[in-house]
Amino acid sequence: MTDPTRIQPSELDQLPDRDPEETAEWQASLDAVTEAAGPHRAAYLMRRTLERAEGNGLALPELLETDYLNTIPTAAEPEIDGDPEMEARVTAWNRWNAAAMVTRGSKHGVGGHIATFASAAWLYETGFNHFFHGKERDGSGDQIYVQGHASPGIYARAFLDGRLTEEHLDHFRQEASGKGLPSYPHPRRLPWLWEFPTVSMGLGPLSAIYQARFNRYLTSRGIKDLSNAHVWAFLGDGEMDEPESTAALTLAAREGLDNLTFVINCNLQRLDGPVRANFKIVQELEAEFRGAGWNVVKTLWGSAWDELFRLDTTGALVRRLREVPDAQFQTYQTRDVAYIREHFFGAEPALAELGKLLSDDKILECFKTSRGGHEPRKVYAAYRAALSHEGRPTVILAQTVKGYTLGKGFESKNANHQMKKLTVDEFKDMRDLLGLPIPDSAFVDGQVPYGHPGADSPEVRYLHERRAALGGLAPARRTQPLAPLPAPADKVFAAFDKGSGTQPVATTMAFVRLVKDLIRDKETGKRWVPIVPDEARTFGMESLFPSLGIYSPKGQTYEPVDRDQLMYYREAKNGQILNEGITEAGSMADFIAAATSYATHGEQMIPFYIFYSMFGWQRTGDQMWQLGDQLGRGFLVGATAGRTTLTGEGLQHADGHSPAIAATNPAALTYDPAFAYEIAAIVKDGLRRMYGETRADEDPNVFYYLTVYNEPMPQPAKPEGVEEGILKGLYRFNTAETAGLSLGEKAPRAQLLASGTAIHWVLKAQKMLAEEWGVAADVWSATSWGELRRDAMEADEALLRGEERVPYVTRALSGAPGPVVAVSDYMRQVPDQIAQWVEQDWTSLGADGFGISDTRDAARRYFGVDAESVVVATLAQLARRGLVKPAAVKEARERYGL
């Protein structure tokens, strides 16, 4: 047996060394440098050699970290193609008004954030002046994801360009009057300005990646050429801790999304303190992004540092910058020069000697304010580098000072995220620093004034000239007048009206069949965007693979293992299906991009995203709120829905609550259809409302959440005259008499309401009640408890205005004899949404608690929602009213083993 301690390093290499002597010479050279010049010099040479190898395209693993320096040397920075002095004046006004707006608003106790934009002002202004394309050219422009806490700076710029007034600014975070500005980027609240809601941290970067990817998808499919559109995402270094922020980095690199740039404002601070107190967030992010395959551009140091780096002939300064943790560097920014000389330059003799060459003023300038993110020339160079880089997305790590220009009370303070105002004296200091012509007399009664150079001033003219050259003002959201999409042929939907006879069909399969037929439509078929998170076969969608193809920017570079089969796995550059793998978050980001394409690109797309219902609203509910906030349209489909229909999977897969969560979102229309014809009617009307001839009293900016089931059941034919009830949420499916269970007028009666798959248990209970207990029950299909509640609440609101209106559910059940028993495969809270508007005695059954693993029958008995439980609950209600004998309830429990 070989002694592992005797193995030579060369023997550990699995590749044969064709020239061991040459290898030994290289290794000896490294040893010699280390011995003669020290390990730092040896490390420097190795790093430069690896960088050269990388630049020459040699197949070596990339360095995950580079020195704590700017990626672009000062000598390589391009000249700015504009007027830097004019841009500085524009930026000064925007800084001032952003701070003034938040400070003035603080008197009303509404809060606001000052420090974020103060640190990032040049990151935005450089983009607005030179890079961000507006929508006036092609209707799309660039997509700009603004960091939520920087919104005051964007409002300040919109004030300068004439889109907002002082009255608007004075109603920051005061929206009830109808004149106000929302706190953060909210398209639903300010739909002409904001495109993307971003302040739920982590969703901005994730959505930006999938927006860039969706742009490529639209181009590849020939819907719209977006090869010139660029996606910019402005993020905070603290925000990158959110898992969604980095969840899709490898996707962006794998698909070569060089139409995407992340700009991370590395002010080293999050809400409570340092982002990485004992470490270096820039280096950590560089390693993470480079490891994921991104191009990384670091913009850390301002021009004041150039002299220091020229004097650093030993590399001591670069080593010290690399080793000092972020929290200590923040401390340097707040201490005097003596402290910096002692604690930074005193770390080793070479640094101390370098420090002697520097004046106190130079040291203070470097350590307190000179950051790459505060110098437009360096930001401009980084943006140019990002746009010129091909084949990979770029992340720009721009170091800044949080609270920059706001004065000593703000800059680099741990608490500055919660600091909402400046004093008058602090504003005067800021005015002097920025060189703004605002006289002391403008401060009336301690109120800070807004500043504006005038609509015809050189600054405003310059701003408009720059934006005109780039395609119009930005950010801007524009909903272009779009022609309604033609309605698909009625026969597509009518095909479900006749039912399936005796053939069992799951509603999941019915929905997939409907969509397959709709995608064949010559007019609108290409606008469907099927989205699935690696569960297409679970939902019976594999038949779409060969016909539609799965989108891949590389096409199919391999022969699929199932190529000889009819439903083989086909990828294509123009594929229509987005199969995202195991990522509900990525699939929702896809959905949002497609659902808002009508506004972003002027192209109406019809996304449907099908997923395990348990992993929808529970797992990605934040993104569904983002979807509503962004005014998205489309169909979310919770498949394998319900707590008892997914046999054997158990607790983590058994959804008993998604309709309850969905009901909290005002933009979500939630349906729990029982039958195939109901699905057809709902989808047909959804297409009309969102994409076709919307009625004047309807909002098209909604999305549908449909729950569908994997339990095969015979699908009945559509009864006459039920269309209105299907859409409003309730209709009588049958009576005891129409079900062939006539018992005469004197028989006790009850009303059984059920949604989704529960209607099959209720139909069984209807028969048992008639045949075993002499009770006549009518069965109602409750397609949407949520829409019934929405209508009833609107009726209540109308009553407050003096308008008499009876809720639909009250009218529908009016005069129906007997108590109401409501059943669903969800927690009782779902049907209980409508209880207060039902005049009859009310009781409900539901699957409350955690899910379990068992057969469907056993699970339904466990939760007390099976047909036998419905019978007992109905008899109990009738017994309370004296319509059946109490003994019947006990007898039924014993007979059914309850």
Side-chain angles (χ1 to χ4, degrees):
M1 183 174 181
T2 304
D3 182 356
T5 62
R6 294 176 175 270
I7 296 177
Q8 298 299 312
S10 60
E11 295 180 75
L12 295 175
D13 195 337
Q14 297 185 50
L15 299 176
D17 188 345
R18 65 181 184 183
D19 194 341
E21 185 176 345
E22 181 183 35
T23 302
E25 290 174 356
W26 276 82
Q27 293 170 336
S29 298
L30 180 63
D31 293 341
V33 172
T34 303
E35 183 176 351
H40 296 309
R41 178 61 179 169
Y44 175 87
L45 292 174
M46 285 298 298
R47 188 176 294 277
R48 297 291 86 83
T49 302
L50 287 170
E51 289 174 352
R52 174 60 65 87
E54 180 181 328
N56 289 339
L58 298 184
L60 289 174
E62 293 185 6
L63 291 170
L64 291 185
E65 287 184 42
T66 59
D67 287 330
Y68 202 57
L69 298 172
N70 294 347
T71 302
I72 304 170
T74 300
E77 294 168 0
E79 291 293 331
I80 297 178
D81 58 345
D83 185 339
E85 182 180 345
M86 190 66 73
E87 291 174 19
R89 284 152 58 184
V90 169
T91 304
W93 285 116
N94 291 338
R95 287 183 180 278
W96 177 271
N97 288 320
M101 174 175 55
V102 176
T103 297
R104 289 168 69 126
S106 68
K107 293 185 177 181
H108 303 286
V110 295
H113 300 286
I114 302 177
T116 295
F117 178 72
S119 67
W122 276 115
L123 303 180
Y124 290 102
E125 293 299 329
T126 303
F128 285 127
N129 289 325
H130 300 282
F131 295 96
F132 303 158
H133 290 100
K135 293 181 174 292
E136 292 181 4
R137 290 180 177 174
D138 62 0
S140 293
D142 288 351
Q143 289 76 62
I144 309 166
Y145 289 76
V146 174
Q147 189 181 0
H149 292 125
S151 62
I154 308 304
Y155 290 140
R157 194 169 218 276
F159 171 63
L160 202 65
D161 68 32
R163 292 187 290 172
L164 294 176
T165 66
E166 287 194 13
E167 185 177 25
H168 286 120
L169 300 192
D170 263 346
H171 285 82
F172 174 59
R173 292 192 169 194
Q174 301 168 66
E175 298 180 79
S177 66
K179 304 174 184 177
L181 300 176
S183 52
Y184 303 120
H186 287 310
R188 188 168 285 276
R189 290 300 186 202
L190 203 62
W192 59 267
L193 179 71
W194 297 119
E195 282 196 281
F196 308 109
T198 54
V199 85
S200 187
M201 293 190 189
L203 299 191
L206 179 67
S207 294
I209 290 173
Y210 280 89
Q211 182 65 58
R213 196 283 195 93
F214 190 72
N215 291 355
R216 291 280 172 86
Y217 170 87
L218 289 180
T219 302
S220 297
R221 292 195 53 221
I223 303 292
K224 185 173 185 178
D225 184 1
L226 296 170
S227 53
N228 291 324
H230 200 82
V231 178
W232 301 83
F234 289 82
L235 317 168
D237 47 1
E239 180 179 5
M240 301 311 293
D241 284 347
E242 288 285 4
E244 294 89 352
S245 295
T246 55
L249 297 186
T250 53
L251 167 76
R254 184 170 64 247
E255 299 203 0
L257 299 181
D258 51 16
N259 60 338
L260 170 67
T261 298
F262 277 14
V263 182
I264 303 181
N265 178 17
C266 298
N267 57 36
L268 313 185
Q269 289 182 249
R270 54 190 181 197
L271 277 62
D272 288 333
V275 177
R276 290 291 183 273
N278 295 297
F279 305 93
K280 302 190 79 62
I281 185 60
V282 168
Q283 298 300 90
E284 178 181 318
L285 291 174
E286 179 185 28
E288 188 168 12
F289 278 87
R290 287 175 70 93
W294 286 54
N295 175 45
V296 178
V297 176
K298 293 196 291 191
T299 303
L300 309 180
W301 309 113
S303 56
W305 284 85
D306 290 348
E307 179 183 349
L308 277 69
F309 292 130
R310 284 196 299 271
L311 295 171
D312 183 30
T313 58
T314 65
L317 175 62
V318 173
R319 291 195 299 274
R320 182 65 175 146
L321 289 174
R322 186 181 177 87
E323 70 189 17
V324 173
D326 285 351
Q328 182 61 46
F329 203 85
Q330 295 290 84
T331 300
Y332 293 146
Q333 291 174 222
T334 62
R335 297 300 179 88
D336 59 23
V337 70
Y339 182 91
I340 299 172
R341 285 189 182 278
E342 177 184 354
H343 292 275
F344 183 85
F345 289 98
E348 63 172 280
L351 268 180
E353 291 301 314
L354 188 153
K356 292 176 182 178
L357 302 175
L358 303 172
S359 68
D360 288 353
D361 288 344
K362 171 60 72 173
I363 290 176
L364 291 176
E365 180 186 8
C366 288
F367 280 81
K368 290 187 179 292
T369 61
S370 184
R371 300 292 181 274
H374 297 321
E375 295 194 9
R377 178 172 173 137
K378 295 191 179 298
V379 175
Y380 182 91
Y383 287 5
R384 277 278 170 244
L387 291 181
S388 63
H389 190 86
E390 296 182 356
R392 293 190 295 175
T394 294
V395 59
I396 295 169
L397 304 175
Q399 187 160 278
T400 65
V401 175
K402 192 166 186 177
Y404 182 64
T405 73
L406 297 181
K408 296 179 181 179
F410 268 81
E411 292 178 354
S412 298
K413 293 293 192 294
N414 280 339
N416 62 18
H417 193 79
Q418 280 70 36
M419 296 162 70
K420 313 299 181 187
K421 58 184 178 181
L422 279 72
T423 66
V424 169
D425 287 341
E426 287 172 329
F427 265 109
K428 290 179 178 178
D429 290 342
M430 181 182 178
R431 170 200 63 189
D432 296 341
L433 176 65
L434 297 176
L436 292 173
I438 300 173
D440 288 351
S441 60
F443 293 81
V444 179
D445 297 327
Q447 176 87 300
V448 56
Y450 294 119
H452 199 294
D456 196 39
S457 64
E459 293 93 333
V460 173
R461 288 202 306 270
Y462 180 83
L463 182 155
H464 282 287
E465 288 168 2
R466 297 305 303 176
R467 290 312 313 159
L470 289 165
L473 295 173
R477 181 183 182 274
R478 295 184 181 176
T479 306
Q480 305 171 34
L482 299 175
L485 293 183
D490 281 340
K491 65 180 182 180
V492 175
F493 305 101
F496 294 85
D497 292 351
K498 60 184 179 181
S500 65
T502 59
Q503 180 184 2
V505 177
T507 53
T508 300
M509 294 299 100
F511 177 82
V512 171
R513 178 190 157 191
L514 173 62
V515 171
K516 285 173 63 177
D517 291 343
L518 290 170
I519 290 176
R520 293 193 185 104
D521 185 87
K522 293 181 179 180
E523 296 288 337
T524 61
K526 68 178 182 178
R527 297 196 174 273
W528 283 86
V529 184
I531 303 167
V532 62
D534 201 39
E535 290 281 3
R537 298 181 193 279
T538 302
F539 307 135
M541 291 175 59
E542 66 269 28
S543 61
L544 298 178
F545 289 169
S547 57
L548 301 184
I550 299 164
Y551 170 71
S552 169
K554 291 184 177 296
Q556 193 154 36
T557 61
Y558 61 92
E559 183 178 0
V561 67
D562 54 357
R563 182 62 183 87
D564 57 343
Q565 298 178 16
L566 181 63
M567 295 185 289
Y568 71 98
Y569 194 84
R570 184 174 76 88
E571 297 187 79
K573 291 182 179 180
N574 63 346
Q576 192 164 351
I577 301 169
L578 292 172
N579 191 321
E580 292 305 339
I582 304 175
T583 168
E584 284 85 9
S587 299
M588 265 308 302
D590 259 338
F591 187 90
I592 291 169
T596 56
S597 180
Y598 74 94
T600 308
H601 298 307
E603 295 288 347
Q604 297 202 80
M605 304 302 289
I606 312 172
F608 81 88
Y609 165 36
I610 189 167
F611 52 90
Y612 267 86
S613 69
M614 184 69 168
F615 304 140
W617 282 93
Q618 169 181 292
R619 195 163 189 172
T620 54
D622 196 8
Q623 289 176 282
M624 290 164 183
W625 277 94
Q626 178 189 5
L627 168 67
D629 197 9
Q630 203 167 320
L631 290 79
R633 306 169 183 173
F635 296 96
L636 296 174
V637 183
T640 59
R643 185 144 277 165
T644 69
T645 60
L646 190 58
T647 58
E649 292 285 1
L651 185 151
Q652 289 188 333
H653 286 66
D655 168 29
H657 49 271
S658 69
I661 302 175
T664 64
N665 191 301
L669 277 61
T670 304
Y671 285 90
D672 186 25
F675 304 124
Y677 66 78
E678 293 177 350
I679 293 173
I682 293 164
V683 171
K684 179 181 179 180
D685 196 64
L687 290 172
R688 176 200 62 78
R689 176 171 179 172
M690 294 185 290
Y691 303 99
E693 299 291 346
T694 305
R695 296 195 303 265
D697 62 337
E698 292 177 319
D699 180 5
N701 298 316
V702 295
F703 60 93
Y704 284 67
Y705 175 53
L706 278 68
T707 48
V708 293
Y709 301 84
N710 70 330
E711 183 176 12
M713 300 294 289
Q715 297 296 323
K718 178 182 175 182
E720 290 292 329
V722 298
E723 288 81 2
E724 180 189 29
I726 291 173
L727 301 178
K728 286 187 173 294
L730 182 69
Y731 68 93
R732 184 156 44 198
F733 175 71
N734 69 18
T735 64
E737 290 73 21
T738 59
L741 302 169
S742 181
L743 299 171
E745 294 183 1
K746 295 184 178 180
R749 295 196 76 93
Q751 308 300 316
L752 307 182
L753 278 59
S755 67
T757 195
I759 205 164
H760 299 289
W761 327 327
V762 167
L763 288 169
K764 180 180 177 182
Q766 179 191 42
K767 185 176 181 181
M768 294 170 65
L769 283 165
E771 295 178 350
E772 300 178 30
W773 306 100
V775 173
D778 301 336
V779 173
W780 299 71
S781 179
T783 54
S784 178
W785 309 102
E787 286 306 292
L788 292 173
R789 176 177 176 81
R790 196 191 305 265
D791 170 81
M793 291 176 67
E794 290 173 357
D796 287 353
E797 292 170 6
L799 187 63
L800 292 175
R801 299 190 299 269
E803 303 172 21
E804 290 290 339
R805 203 174 107 194
V806 180
Y808 173 81
V809 64
T810 307
R811 286 188 283 114
L813 290 170
S814 178
V820 167
V821 178
V823 190
S824 83
D825 204 16
Y826 302 93
M827 56 197 301
R828 290 175 61 183
Q829 179 179 330
V830 174
D832 284 348
Q833 293 179 82
I834 65 169
Q836 71 185 82
W837 295 283
V838 174
E839 296 175 346
Q840 292 85 348
D841 291 339
W842 172 274
T843 192
S844 62
L845 299 178
D848 287 79
F850 291 108
I852 62 168
S853 299
D854 215 310
T855 64
R856 292 186 178 111
D857 289 341
R860 286 162 188 166
R861 173 55 58 89
Y862 174 85
F863 286 110
V865 294
D866 58 355
E868 291 78 5
S869 299
V870 174
V871 169
V872 171
T874 305
L875 292 174
Q877 284 295 314
L878 292 168
R880 290 193 185 99
R881 303 179 68 178
L883 298 176
V884 300
K885 296 179 180 180
V889 182
K890 180 181 179 183
E891 181 185 347
R893 288 197 194 100
E894 292 174 352
R895 181 184 301 181
Y896 303 138
L898 298 180

